[in-house]
Amino acid sequence: MKYTIILYICTLMNKSDIKEIKVLFATPQNVVIVPHKNPDGDAIGASLAMYHYLKKKGHHPTVVSPNDYPNFLKWLPGSKDALKFDMQNRQSKKAIEEASVIFILDFNALNRVGDDMQNTLQEFKGIFMMIDHHQQPEDFAKYLFSDTSICSTCQMVYHYLEKLDDVEVIDKDIATCIYTGIMTDTGSFRFPSTTSETHRIVADLIDKGADNAKIYNNVYDTNSYGSLQLLGKALTNLVVIPELKTAYIVLSQAELDEFDFQKGDTEGIVNYGLSVEDVIFAAIFIEDVEQKIIKISFRSKGSFSVNKFARKHFNGGGHDNAAGGKSLLSLEDTITKFLNIIPKFKKELLTSYEE
Ligand code: 5GP
Ligand code: MN
């Protein structure tokens, strides 16, 4: 039996922080809520949950997403009220200028919102509150609620409401948003970060009105024909390197175009690599000609930290078992770089995970 030591770092708000936050929100505040760029279900779920909660408490919240997000998240209650910083720039900047508080949700480094929005946020003189579960948070938030052991920012939003004695404020809309983020960030409750506490929270969310079957359907059973064809192409392109317990997928811009790629269509495809028997490290490389980058997702099982791997070699980061990054090289050169690096990790890859 092999034991894996994972170090969880947790910065909880202390009692005096909570007291101060209660005093702050005792009077109506203009609040801006920011998820990371290319937000996923957890980032949007947490942002919209916070939006509904703050509205219910008499505040004036605005969700300002750095950019657009996939259609499978647009059904979420409140989605139509969210601003996109890149497309609704003037309105977004105005909301940020008028805010007294900005929530930073599901990310912990300001460069995760993209250059233009980062510049605007850096000028903000009010209070930053960060709720996040990624490693190594930057030190710019007055109130920092960070716990890398928790499966999702949405679960942390639930804990935040617990700390403020406001769990009873959670209604169907808030429950729906929180449930969605927990479901998507846990791979539908199957990743190791899913605990008995997660299940207890999810049970409470269902009691409060979250319709679990409908939420699953809205997120996962709304594929377009093109997105399924693209998945087929990705699976055809899957390469397995058994001696390194590694699998990877490459999708070129031409292939994305062939199958009418829409935002979100490639989400989750990397997990197919990890589902191959004995594979413990999976990657997907997606060419983005417009942004002139190769967007990369990494996933692992066990002690091999893709967070460290992505930080060191591919300008990225994330969690130990799920991280992302990017490359400014060509698609071909990026793959060559990857294939040159991974043999150096042979020992770690072969000992990362035992059945
Ligand atoms: P995904 O592969 O699904 O895009 O991201 C996996 C995890 O890594 C998510 O928690 C995401 O927030 C994080 N992540 C993705 N790309 C980056 C990146 O470029 N930098 C950092 N620091 N984290 C990333
Ligand atoms: Mn998350």
Side-chain angles (χ1 to χ4, degrees):
M1 169 106 185
K2 181 172 162 281
Y3 293 94
T4 304
I5 298 169
I6 296 177
L7 189 64
Y8 292 126
I9 312 256
C10 166
T11 309
L12 295 173
M13 292 178 303
N14 59 32
K15 276 195 178 137
S16 82
D17 286 346
I18 290 158
K19 235 187 190 165
E20 284 176 29
I21 292 169
K22 280 185 175 174
V23 170
L24 171 68
F25 284 122
T27 50
Q29 302 292 324
N30 290 337
V31 183
V32 161
I33 302 161
V34 182
H36 55 78
K37 193 174 174 184
N38 298 322
D40 56 7
D42 190 30
I44 289 297
S47 298
L48 292 174
M50 192 58 84
Y51 169 75
H52 291 294
Y53 163 73
L54 289 170
K55 226 169 141 180
K56 240 180 137 172
K57 297 285 282 186
H59 303 289
H60 309 289
T62 310
V63 174
V64 180
S65 176
N67 62 348
D68 202 7
Y69 46 87
N71 281 336
F72 63 76
L73 298 172
K74 297 250 167 94
W75 61 274
L76 276 163
S79 170
K80 64 174 176 15
D81 300 333
L83 299 177
K84 322 291 178 306
F85 188 88
D86 59 351
M87 292 186 289
Q88 291 147 296
N89 198 261
R90 197 185 45 79
Q91 254 178 297
S92 301
K93 282 183 169 157
K94 185 164 178 280
I96 292 169
E97 257 163 41
E98 290 172 357
S100 51
V101 181
I102 294 184
F103 276 88
I104 298 289
L105 298 183
D106 200 38
F107 68 104
N108 62 22
L110 265 191
N111 66 9
R112 294 275 284 125
V113 295
D115 288 347
D116 190 15
M117 188 164 179
Q118 183 179 358
N119 292 337
T120 305
L121 290 180
Q122 268 164 348
E123 280 164 26
F124 179 69
K125 297 284 181 288
I127 295 169
F128 278 114
M129 289 208 197
M130 185 190 288
I131 304 179
D132 179 63
H133 65 141
H134 295 90
Q135 298 183 353
Q136 298 170 250
E138 282 180 0
D139 186 23
F140 65 88
K142 175 161 186 197
Y143 299 108
L144 173 62
F145 184 23
S146 163
D147 189 338
T148 62
S149 75
I150 294 184
C151 66
S152 57
T153 299
C154 274
Q155 181 172 325
M156 295 186 68
V157 167
Y158 185 97
H159 292 310
Y160 173 84
L161 300 184
E162 273 179 334
K163 283 173 191 300
L164 295 181
D165 303 312
D166 270 343
V167 167
E168 288 318 311
V169 179
I170 298 177
D171 58 12
K172 184 181 166 95
D173 283 349
I174 300 172
T176 299
C177 294
I178 296 179
Y179 185 100
T180 299
I182 296 178
M183 180 186 79
T184 54
D185 251 30
T186 57
S188 301
F189 317 105
R190 74 185 195 276
F191 296 153
S193 55
T194 313
T195 61
S196 58
E197 189 171 31
T198 307
H199 282 285
R200 273 190 288 275
I201 289 168
V202 158
D204 187 42
L205 295 172
I206 292 173
D207 286 343
K208 289 181 161 54
D211 186 336
N212 52 316
K214 235 183 207 157
I215 293 172
Y216 185 95
N217 181 73
N218 288 348
V219 173
Y220 292 117
D221 292 341
T222 49
N223 290 308
S224 65
Y225 181 75
S227 74
L228 285 182
Q229 295 291 302
L230 182 63
L231 171 62
K233 185 75 202 171
L235 296 180
T236 306
N237 292 354
L238 176 71
V239 178
V240 180
I241 310 171
E243 65 276 19
L244 294 174
K245 298 194 172 199
T246 296
Y248 69 95
I249 291 169
V250 182
L251 283 173
S252 67
Q253 184 71 60
E255 288 167 328
L256 298 175
D257 293 345
E258 186 184 344
F259 297 106
D260 188 28
F261 169 75
Q262 304 291 317
K263 209 176 191 63
D265 283 353
T266 54
E267 218 148 292
I269 293 182
V270 64
N271 293 311
Y272 284 93
L274 209 56
S275 75
V276 178
E277 193 176 12
D278 285 337
V279 165
I280 68 96
F281 179 35
I284 187 167
F285 299 86
I286 301 166
E287 188 176 28
D288 185 335
V289 167
E290 197 185 314
Q291 289 200 57
K292 298 193 181 75
I293 59 164
I294 310 300
K295 175 75 186 100
I296 314 167
S297 288
F298 298 108
R299 299 291 185 270
S300 69
K301 283 183 187 167
S303 59
F304 182 69
S305 171
V306 286
N307 168 51
K308 281 190 198 145
F309 185 85
R311 269 176 203 274
K312 184 148 188 233
H313 299 290
F314 289 100
N315 309 303
H319 309 283
D320 282 327
N321 296 129
K326 57 182 175 294
S327 162
L328 304 178
L329 303 172
S330 69
L331 188 55
E332 205 176 302
D333 290 350
T334 302
I335 304 305
T336 304
K337 174 178 169 180
F338 176 70
L339 293 177
N340 283 334
I341 294 169
I342 49 173
K344 300 188 178 103
F345 290 92
K346 186 165 185 174
K347 202 169 148 216
E348 283 100 314
L349 290 166
L350 295 186
T351 56
S352 176
Y353 183 79
E354 274 174 29
E355 303 295 312

